[in-house]
Amino acid sequence: MGYHMADMPMDTAMTVGMALIVVGLVVTAYGLVPVGAHREEVADLRVRALDDAPINRVHVLLLLVVAAAITIDVMKPTTLAFVVPGVAKEYDLRTAANPGGGLPAALLPLAGITGTVLGSFLWGWLGDRIGRKAAILLAGVFFVATSICGAMPSFELNLVMCLIMGMSAGGMLPIAFTLLAETIPARHRGWMMVLIGGDIAGAYAITSWLSATIGDTYGWRVMWLIGFPTGLLTILLTRWIPESPRFLLALGRRREAEQVLRVYNASITPVEKSELAVESGFTGGYRRLIQAPFGGITAVLVLVGLGVGLVVYGFQLWLPSNLRQLGFSGVSADQILRDSALIGFPLNFLVAYCYHRSSKWTMVVLSALLAISLFGFVAVGDGVADNKVLLYALLIPPIWGASSVVAVLVAYGAEAYPTRIRSRGTGLAAGMSKAGGIIVIALVVLAVATPSISMTALISAVPMTIAAAAGIAFLVETRRRSLEEITAEELRGVA
């Protein structure tokens, strides 16, 4: 068969199996809802003990799990680029090389990226509703269930499963960062989150290696079946992931919080009034993110997310084609992009250090630097091909810097909001970083001509510029401060 399943009939067993998978996902999600999760009283324990605790093996294990989660998260949308050619060939889809095909092949990445955006919001809500650990566990279950995308006979069913798969992958990133922010001591929190979030090169390397080895042998479908073992690995790792103590304390679940605090070697000290009492007036809901005092911060995160999403899925997506149009061969264009990424990679450590020194100004400066680089392409236009040194200099920020901006964006979102809406805030930041992809890929689906390098740069630069300016006015400093201190300062601003 050559691993081709297009137009194969679905028998009764396969139909029943798919129905059982859907029912199983719903039942699993319901089973993860904790009893008494919405009690409003705050447990009377000292929260600062988490920030005073020394780094131990539990923190290290959590960091490794978060790194694995981010790798899995990045692998999902990355895989789309490697499977689209095989999908288009098997289903005779419309592409630039096959203009007479049926449905546009770009519908597949559109479904996947749309899923990641929806998943960021849905898992953001779930993280605040059922807990950080439970939400990660549910994402792992979804990875396993949606790996059946590799066995879907019809293209339409592939789109549905790709959408659901994207939802689970998109939800993993904000939950992982939220859990990390609430458990890592404040003095180490910022740089650790940014360093882990910026290290996404491994996901690209793993995906390309898998595509070149097993993908070349077994076809594009095996790339989706990889979700089965990675999902099982995620489920296994949650065995050693403690729930966020702050989440438990905020909901008054004292006994569970005490057990977790012992795991982190944090002192269990009863207090008359917990530091989390400053958040006692907050209830759940995404509307809280746009209300005072968080409206300005949310606006900045939305603009940064939208801008970096346009860079990744707009400027970067069409960059290989644009470089070829400027006279570079396929080999030299790919070499230029690879070299730019490698040259910029060590700067991830610099960004982590800068975030450790000042989270606010790292966000502002990175956004401004990205905007300046993009405006450089607008000013020089096609003439950038005549100066290779200038081309490399302008390419490094959008090629390398985009991943660092995403890391800083999600890390800041995990620090800037109160415990009861922190997962939602992080989900909003992560979701907006992919929302630009929906806009860009939708243009491809509608058969809009590929924009020039100047046009894609301009579209991306405008929101980044506005975000940099707004960040100066609205962002607060989170450097080495407890999450409760950050919230208290924000509330004083509207008092």
Side-chain angles (χ1 to χ4, degrees):
M1 295 165 50
Y3 306 102
H4 285 221
M5 299 180 65
D7 300 323
M8 287 181 63
M10 289 178 56
D11 59 18
T12 302
M14 186 173 186
T15 303
V16 172
M18 290 182 61
L20 288 174
I21 287 174
V22 174
V23 172
L25 289 174
V26 174
V27 173
T28 300
Y30 176 77
L32 287 171
V33 177
V35 177
H38 283 279
R39 287 179 288 174
E40 294 300 322
E41 69 271 16
V42 176
D44 53 350
L45 291 177
R46 183 170 175 265
V47 179
R48 188 178 292 276
L50 284 165
D51 293 320
D52 295 337
I55 295 291
N56 59 25
R57 66 175 186 84
V58 179
H59 293 102
V60 174
L61 181 59
L62 181 62
L63 289 170
L64 294 176
V65 172
V66 169
I70 292 174
T71 299
I72 293 172
D73 177 81
V74 176
M75 282 178 65
K76 299 302 178 180
T78 303
T79 300
L80 292 169
F82 293 94
V83 303
V84 166
V87 174
K89 182 178 180 181
E90 180 169 339
Y91 292 104
D92 189 29
L93 303 177
R94 187 168 71 246
T95 63
N98 183 30
L103 293 171
L107 283 174
L108 188 69
L110 179 62
I113 299 302
T114 301
T116 61
V117 175
L118 296 176
S120 295
F121 287 96
L122 177 59
W123 256 259
W125 172 76
L126 283 171
D128 287 331
R129 177 69 178 87
I130 68 176
R132 310 346 182 183
K133 177 178 180 176
I136 293 176
L137 177 60
L138 185 62
V141 175
F142 266 72
F143 289 155
V144 173
T146 56
S147 65
I148 62 171
C149 186
M152 292 294 100
S154 73
F155 179 61
E156 290 76 12
L157 286 174
N158 267 284
L159 293 179
V160 173
M161 298 310 299
C162 190
L163 175 70
I164 300 175
M165 184 185 294
M167 290 172 62
S168 56
M172 180 67 81
L173 185 65
I175 296 300
F177 268 83
T178 298
L179 182 60
L180 198 62
E182 292 178 343
T183 52
I184 298 297
R187 61 186 177 277
H188 302 295
R189 184 182 63 228
W191 70 266
M192 283 186 173
M193 288 197 296
V194 173
L195 191 60
I196 290 177
D199 184 23
I200 63 175
Y204 288 93
I206 294 172
T207 306
S208 59
W209 174 74
L210 290 171
S211 179
T213 52
I214 61 174
D216 186 57
T217 303
Y218 299 106
W220 63 270
R221 292 181 179 274
V222 75
M223 298 298 292
W224 290 138
L225 297 176
I226 292 170
F228 185 84
T230 57
L232 289 178
L233 177 61
T234 303
I235 294 171
L236 177 64
L237 290 175
T238 57
R239 169 65 179 80
W240 294 280
I241 301 177
E243 179 56 273
S244 163
R246 279 185 166 90
F247 172 78
L248 296 173
L249 291 171
L251 297 179
R253 295 159 61 180
R254 174 172 177 150
R255 182 176 300 177
E256 297 170 71
E258 289 179 347
Q259 294 174 348
V260 178
L261 287 171
R262 291 190 184 97
V263 171
Y264 283 105
N265 290 335
S267 60
I268 301 175
T269 308
V271 291
E272 183 177 343
K273 185 177 181 181
S274 168
E275 298 97 320
L276 280 166
V278 70
E279 306 176 5
S280 59
F282 288 92
T283 56
Y286 273 102
R287 71 181 186 279
R288 299 293 302 181
L289 301 179
I290 60 175
Q291 295 174 347
F294 308 110
I297 292 174
T298 300
V300 175
L301 297 184
V302 167
L303 286 169
V304 173
L306 182 61
V308 76
L310 290 171
V311 171
V312 173
Y313 299 103
F315 182 81
Q316 289 186 15
L317 184 68
W318 279 320
L319 193 54
S321 299
N322 285 325
L323 288 176
R324 289 177 177 85
Q325 291 176 1
L326 293 178
F328 295 98
S329 66
V331 175
S332 62
D334 293 341
Q335 184 180 22
I336 289 173
L337 298 178
R338 181 202 65 194
D339 292 345
S340 299
L342 291 176
I343 293 171
F345 179 75
L347 296 176
N348 286 328
F349 298 95
L350 177 61
V351 173
Y353 173 76
C354 291
Y355 192 87
H356 177 67
R357 302 295 299 175
S358 174
S359 57
K360 171 180 178 176
W361 289 107
T362 299
M363 176 86 78
V364 170
V365 172
L366 265 182
S367 300
L369 180 63
L370 199 56
I372 291 171
S373 174
L374 293 168
F375 276 123
F377 281 104
V378 176
V380 179
D382 293 348
V384 72
D386 301 327
N387 190 330
K388 213 165 190 178
V389 175
L390 178 62
L391 177 61
Y392 274 110
L394 292 178
L395 275 179
I396 290 174
I399 297 299
W400 148 77
S403 63
S404 290
V405 171
V406 172
V408 169
L409 170 70
V410 181
Y412 191 90
E415 295 181 303
Y417 297 103
T419 303
R420 291 181 179 175
I421 59 172
R422 180 168 295 117
S423 187
R424 290 178 174 88
T426 314
L428 173 68
M432 292 308 300
S433 70
K434 298 179 178 70
I438 297 179
I439 299 172
V440 172
I441 300 174
L443 296 177
V444 178
V445 172
L446 296 173
V448 175
T450 302
S452 65
I453 195 169
S454 299
M455 181 57 67
T456 55
L458 179 60
I459 294 173
S460 306
V462 171
M464 295 305 301
T465 303
I466 299 174
I472 298 175
F474 295 115
L475 295 183
V476 298
E477 185 60 67
T478 65
R479 177 178 66 94
R480 306 182 73 175
R481 302 170 64 193
S482 73
L483 300 176
E484 295 69 41
E485 288 179 9
I486 297 169
T487 299
E489 179 186 341
E490 293 165 338
L491 292 175
R492 283 197 297 270
V494 295

PDB file of all heavy atoms in Angstrom, residues 284-296:
ATOM      1  N   GLY A 284     -12.518  33.798  39.153  1.00  0.00           N
ATOM      2  CA  GLY A 284     -12.066  33.395  37.831  1.00  0.00           C
ATOM      3  C   GLY A 284     -12.777  34.142  36.718  1.00  0.00           C
ATOM      4  O   GLY A 284     -13.744  34.864  36.930  1.00  0.00           O
ATOM      5  N   GLY A 285     -12.289  33.935  35.504  1.00  0.00           N
ATOM      6  CA  GLY A 285     -12.906  34.557  34.340  1.00  0.00           C
ATOM      7  C   GLY A 285     -11.900  35.350  33.524  1.00  0.00           C
ATOM      8  O   GLY A 285     -11.084  36.089  34.081  1.00  0.00           O
ATOM      9  N   TYR A 286     -11.966  35.175  32.212  1.00  0.00           N
ATOM     10  CA  TYR A 286     -11.039  35.911  31.347  1.00  0.00           C
ATOM     11  C   TYR A 286     -11.287  37.421  31.381  1.00  0.00           C
ATOM     12  O   TYR A 286     -10.385  38.205  31.086  1.00  0.00           O
ATOM     13  CB  TYR A 286     -11.157  35.394  29.909  1.00  0.00           C
ATOM     14  CG  TYR A 286     -10.270  34.198  29.628  1.00  0.00           C
ATOM     15  CD1 TYR A 286     -10.788  32.917  29.582  1.00  0.00           C
ATOM     16  CD2 TYR A 286      -8.904  34.357  29.425  1.00  0.00           C
ATOM     17  CE1 TYR A 286      -9.966  31.820  29.342  1.00  0.00           C
ATOM     18  CE2 TYR A 286      -8.075  33.278  29.185  1.00  0.00           C
ATOM     19  CZ  TYR A 286      -8.613  32.001  29.142  1.00  0.00           C
ATOM     20  OH  TYR A 286      -7.797  30.924  28.907  1.00  0.00           O
ATOM     21  N   ARG A 287     -12.490  37.829  31.736  1.00  0.00           N
ATOM     22  CA  ARG A 287     -12.765  39.268  31.765  1.00  0.00           C
ATOM     23  C   ARG A 287     -11.893  39.984  32.792  1.00  0.00           C
ATOM     24  O   ARG A 287     -11.633  41.189  32.662  1.00  0.00           O
ATOM     25  CB  ARG A 287     -14.245  39.514  32.055  1.00  0.00           C
ATOM     26  CG  ARG A 287     -14.658  39.186  33.484  1.00  0.00           C
ATOM     27  CD  ARG A 287     -16.150  39.426  33.714  1.00  0.00           C
ATOM     28  NE  ARG A 287     -16.519  39.247  35.102  1.00  0.00           N
ATOM     29  CZ  ARG A 287     -16.736  38.085  35.674  1.00  0.00           C
ATOM     30  NH1 ARG A 287     -16.597  36.975  34.965  1.00  0.00           N
ATOM     31  NH2 ARG A 287     -17.071  38.002  36.947  1.00  0.00           N
ATOM     32  N   ARG A 288     -11.421  39.263  33.823  1.00  0.00           N
ATOM     33  CA  ARG A 288     -10.574  39.880  34.831  1.00  0.00           C
ATOM     34  C   ARG A 288      -9.260  40.365  34.230  1.00  0.00           C
ATOM     35  O   ARG A 288      -8.640  41.296  34.749  1.00  0.00           O
ATOM     36  CB  ARG A 288     -10.269  38.872  35.947  1.00  0.00           C
ATOM     37  CG  ARG A 288     -11.491  38.357  36.690  1.00  0.00           C
ATOM     38  CD  ARG A 288     -12.171  39.419  37.490  1.00  0.00           C
ATOM     39  NE  ARG A 288     -11.303  40.034  38.477  1.00  0.00           N
ATOM     40  CZ  ARG A 288     -11.688  40.986  39.314  1.00  0.00           C
ATOM     41  NH1 ARG A 288     -12.920  41.447  39.266  1.00  0.00           N
ATOM     42  NH2 ARG A 288     -10.839  41.514  40.171  1.00  0.00           N
ATOM     43  N   LEU A 289      -8.842  39.736  33.113  1.00  0.00           N
ATOM     44  CA  LEU A 289      -7.573  40.109  32.498  1.00  0.00           C
ATOM     45  C   LEU A 289      -7.621  41.492  31.865  1.00  0.00           C
ATOM     46  O   LEU A 289      -6.581  42.123  31.676  1.00  0.00           O
ATOM     47  CB  LEU A 289      -7.175  39.073  31.443  1.00  0.00           C
ATOM     48  CG  LEU A 289      -7.016  37.626  31.922  1.00  0.00           C
ATOM     49  CD1 LEU A 289      -6.656  36.722  30.750  1.00  0.00           C
ATOM     50  CD2 LEU A 289      -5.945  37.534  33.007  1.00  0.00           C
ATOM     51  N   ILE A 290      -8.805  41.949  31.495  1.00  0.00           N
ATOM     52  CA  ILE A 290      -8.920  43.257  30.833  1.00  0.00           C
ATOM     53  C   ILE A 290      -9.462  44.327  31.772  1.00  0.00           C
ATOM     54  O   ILE A 290      -9.672  45.470  31.369  1.00  0.00           O
ATOM     55  CB  ILE A 290      -9.802  43.160  29.576  1.00  0.00           C
ATOM     56  CG1 ILE A 290     -11.217  42.680  29.933  1.00  0.00           C
ATOM     57  CG2 ILE A 290      -9.174  42.232  28.547  1.00  0.00           C
ATOM     58  CD1 ILE A 290     -12.172  42.677  28.751  1.00  0.00           C
ATOM     59  N   GLN A 291      -9.703  43.960  33.028  1.00  0.00           N
ATOM     60  CA  GLN A 291     -10.168  44.924  34.005  1.00  0.00           C
ATOM     61  C   GLN A 291      -8.982  45.479  34.786  1.00  0.00           C
ATOM     62  O   GLN A 291      -7.916  44.876  34.835  1.00  0.00           O
ATOM     63  CB  GLN A 291     -11.178  44.273  34.958  1.00  0.00           C
ATOM     64  CG  GLN A 291     -12.471  43.832  34.281  1.00  0.00           C
ATOM     65  CD  GLN A 291     -13.395  43.066  35.215  1.00  0.00           C
ATOM     66  OE1 GLN A 291     -12.995  42.656  36.299  1.00  0.00           O
ATOM     67  NE2 GLN A 291     -14.642  42.871  34.792  1.00  0.00           N
ATOM     68  N   ALA A 292      -9.190  46.646  35.431  1.00  0.00           N
ATOM     69  CA  ALA A 292      -8.135  47.233  36.253  1.00  0.00           C
ATOM     70  C   ALA A 292      -7.798  46.279  37.393  1.00  0.00           C
ATOM     71  O   ALA A 292      -8.693  45.635  37.952  1.00  0.00           O
ATOM     72  CB  ALA A 292      -8.608  48.572  36.807  1.00  0.00           C
ATOM     73  N   PRO A 293      -6.522  46.147  37.726  1.00  0.00           N
ATOM     74  CA  PRO A 293      -5.375  46.901  37.223  1.00  0.00           C
ATOM     75  C   PRO A 293      -4.583  46.189  36.132  1.00  0.00           C
ATOM     76  O   PRO A 293      -3.444  46.552  35.862  1.00  0.00           O
ATOM     77  CB  PRO A 293      -4.510  47.023  38.483  1.00  0.00           C
ATOM     78  CG  PRO A 293      -4.726  45.701  39.170  1.00  0.00           C
ATOM     79  CD  PRO A 293      -6.155  45.321  38.894  1.00  0.00           C
ATOM     80  N   PHE A 294      -5.187  45.170  35.518  1.00  0.00           N
ATOM     81  CA  PHE A 294      -4.426  44.330  34.599  1.00  0.00           C
ATOM     82  C   PHE A 294      -4.653  44.651  33.125  1.00  0.00           C
ATOM     83  O   PHE A 294      -4.025  44.040  32.261  1.00  0.00           O
ATOM     84  CB  PHE A 294      -4.773  42.853  34.844  1.00  0.00           C
ATOM     85  CG  PHE A 294      -4.657  42.435  36.272  1.00  0.00           C
ATOM     86  CD1 PHE A 294      -5.781  42.135  37.022  1.00  0.00           C
ATOM     87  CD2 PHE A 294      -3.418  42.385  36.890  1.00  0.00           C
ATOM     88  CE1 PHE A 294      -5.677  41.768  38.354  1.00  0.00           C
ATOM     89  CE2 PHE A 294      -3.292  42.016  38.214  1.00  0.00           C
ATOM     90  CZ  PHE A 294      -4.431  41.712  38.951  1.00  0.00           C
ATOM     91  N   GLY A 295      -5.557  45.589  32.826  1.00  0.00           N
ATOM     92  CA  GLY A 295      -5.893  45.889  31.443  1.00  0.00           C
ATOM     93  C   GLY A 295      -4.691  46.339  30.615  1.00  0.00           C
ATOM     94  O   GLY A 295      -4.501  45.895  29.474  1.00  0.00           O
ATOM     95  N   GLY A 296      -3.846  47.220  31.180  1.00  0.00           N
ATOM     96  CA  GLY A 296      -2.680  47.706  30.443  1.00  0.00           C
ATOM     97  C   GLY A 296      -1.672  46.605  30.181  1.00  0.00           C
ATOM     98  O   GLY A 296      -1.121  46.495  29.077  1.00  0.00           O
TER      99      GLY A 296
END
